[in-house]
Amino acid sequence: MKKTYYAIAVACLLLSSCKGGDIDNTEEITYRGDTLTVAAGSPVLTKVTTSVLDKEPFSSEFRTVGTVQAEMGHYAEVGVPFDGRITTSKVMLGSRVRAGHTLFEVSSPEFFEAGKIYFQNIRNYETAKSAYERKKSLQDAGVVSVRELEEAYAGMENALQEKAASEAAFRAYGIDPAKMAPGQAMKIISPINGEVVRCDITPGAFTKADGDALLAVADLSRVWVTAQVKERFIGTVTKGGKVEIFTEAEPETAIWGSVLNVGNLVDEQTRSVQVIVSCDNPEMKLKHGMYVSVHFISEPKDAIVVPSTSVFQGEENSYVYMAPENSGNVFIRRQVTIGESNDDNTRVRILNGLQAGERIVATGGLYLNN
């Protein structure tokens, strides 16, 4: 854990500074189990400072990496539904477009044939409808039988269904059949409002229906940042919590966001949970696909917090040194359960093992270690 690494680093620095033997604790300290006694007048006592614990506001903080993406429904890749040749481009990289705006046009024999069938279905329906209405008026006059009228009605319904199927096919491709004209080029329109962020359109180039998307449109005025949060931190992340986003281009400038969703699935390999952060992006500093640093900060809560220099890591558990009231030169090693540290690793939250009002060794505990 990063907090124990900090304490170990401090320990190494202190040991190096003491090289030469200014303090030999092998003779100055007596150990009995978890209790140790420092000889009266020992210089070890001058190195040790203590403090009385009290609850204080503490915000859980940690950093992780995240990936920027457009909000759901605000990013669209655009291809073509039929094979053909690009005839005209209406946009370029960076163009602002609205939903329904024509992006480019394609000359496609397949599209022409589909349009021909569609207009034929319209004519068939109009003919069948006229035949039904004519027979209905004749049936009212007793000239046409009920059976003939029913057959005319069935013919009209079949023609209507074929017409509706053709219309639905075009709408599925983003084409408004009401605006089509016989023999026209296929117009590829934007499905959303936004900016053209990728454009691979070359007039005259041949394109295929099963090929790669030729163009991407995105609205990045508000984006999502998908962060991977380790299991041990997930309890400190709450929906609506404030988050700082930092880019590599401006590592000192925070872009604020809020937690939109905390995932319920743990990745079996990374042991992390996906957290989505939503944030405004009016200056477009966050780009689709960009890697960013995500700084989570929880709301302050009262907790027992100790200096990182107070905590040591044993073979199995973390521990601190207690300094009982009026004990003078007697100290007790006590196991504790540690939580997260603050952002600069100088303070550590204690989850279990200490209570307010108790006195611990704040600094110099290194000299008490056996």
Side-chain angles (χ1 to χ4, degrees), residues 6-279:
Y6 182 90
I8 291 171
V10 172
C12 292
L13 289 172
L14 288 174
L15 282 174
S16 62
S17 67
C18 294
K19 233 173 183 180
D22 64 329
I23 296 179
D24 184 1
N25 66 356
T26 59
E27 296 181 1
E28 299 288 343
I29 304 174
T30 303
Y31 299 90
R32 290 187 179 180
D34 288 333
T35 302
L36 54 104
T37 303
V38 180
S42 169
V44 169
L45 295 176
T46 64
K47 302 291 185 179
V48 174
T49 64
T50 64
S51 62
V52 178
L53 297 176
D54 194 7
K55 287 189 174 183
E56 61 182 74
F58 182 80
S59 295
S60 301
E61 299 182 51
F62 67 92
R63 292 176 184 265
T64 186
V65 295
T67 306
V68 179
Q69 64 186 85
E71 286 187 307
M72 184 180 296
H74 291 252
Y75 177 85
E77 294 186 340
V78 182
V80 293
F82 299 100
D83 295 353
R85 192 175 300 279
I86 299 173
T87 57
T88 306
S89 175
K90 303 292 187 180
V91 296
M92 62 180 61
L93 197 63
S95 296
R96 298 292 302 179
V97 296
R98 299 191 64 81
H101 182 96
T102 299
L103 302 173
F104 58 98
E105 296 181 356
V106 178
S107 176
S108 168
E110 293 181 0
F111 177 74
F112 293 153
E113 185 62 27
K116 180 179 177 181
I117 294 173
Y118 167 65
F119 288 112
Q120 182 62 53
N121 288 338
I122 292 178
R123 289 192 293 270
N124 291 342
Y125 169 68
E126 292 174 347
T127 300
K129 182 180 178 183
S130 296
Y132 168 72
E133 291 175 347
R134 184 174 61 255
K135 288 190 177 184
K136 187 174 185 302
S137 63
L138 293 174
Q139 198 272 340
D140 293 340
V143 178
V144 175
S145 67
V146 173
R147 180 179 178 180
E148 288 178 304
L149 181 64
E150 290 176 347
E151 289 175 350
Y153 180 79
M156 181 185 69
E157 283 296 305
N158 289 336
L160 177 61
Q161 291 177 9
E162 291 178 357
K163 171 178 171 289
S166 295
E167 290 176 344
F170 283 115
R171 288 197 179 96
Y173 298 137
I175 301 171
D176 185 357
K179 297 180 180 179
M180 288 177 55
Q184 75 173 42
M186 178 171 55
K187 295 182 178 181
I188 305 302
I189 65 173
S190 175
I192 61 173
N193 299 334
E195 177 184 330
V196 177
V197 295
R198 181 166 66 83
C199 185
D200 297 325
I201 299 172
T202 303
F206 186 78
T207 182
K208 297 182 67 65
D210 58 355
D212 295 334
L214 300 175
L215 185 145
V217 178
D219 177 6
L220 300 178
S221 59
R222 189 171 184 82
V223 297
W224 287 356
V225 175
T226 302
Q228 302 300 325
V229 176
K230 294 295 185 181
E231 281 184 279
R232 67 177 182 272
F233 296 126
I234 202 63
T236 66
V237 180
T238 57
K239 188 174 181 179
K242 298 301 181 183
V243 181
E244 287 181 313
I245 308 296
F246 297 92
T247 65
E248 188 173 346
E250 298 185 37
E252 303 300 324
T253 303
I255 301 172
W256 285 93
S258 60
V259 176
L260 179 68
N261 178 264
V262 180
N264 291 317
L265 296 177
V266 177
D267 187 287
E268 294 182 357
Q269 295 184 340
T270 63
R271 308 311 302 174
S272 60
V273 175
Q274 186 181 86
V275 175
I276 296 178
V277 177
S278 178
C279 55

Side-chain angles (χ1 to χ4, degrees), residues 311-326:
V311 182
F312 297 90
Q313 181 65 43
E315 293 182 0
E316 297 182 358
N317 301 291
S318 300
Y319 62 90
V320 299
Y321 286 108
M322 307 298 298
E325 189 72 24
N326 300 320

Side-chain angles (χ1 to χ4, degrees), residues 293-346:
S293 173
V294 188
H295 182 201
F296 288 88
I297 311 171
S298 68
E299 290 294 326
K301 294 182 180 179
D302 286 344
I304 297 295
V305 184
V306 301
S308 298
T309 52
S310 298
V311 182
F312 297 90
Q313 181 65 43
E315 293 182 0
E316 297 182 358
N317 301 291
S318 300
Y319 62 90
V320 299
Y321 286 108
M322 307 298 298
E325 189 72 24
N326 300 320
S327 63
N329 59 344
V330 177
F331 304 92
I332 300 173
R333 187 166 68 174
R334 182 184 293 178
Q335 292 183 3
V336 294
T337 303
I338 61 176
E340 61 281 359
S341 62
N342 61 356
D343 196 41
D344 60 2
N345 296 325
T346 58

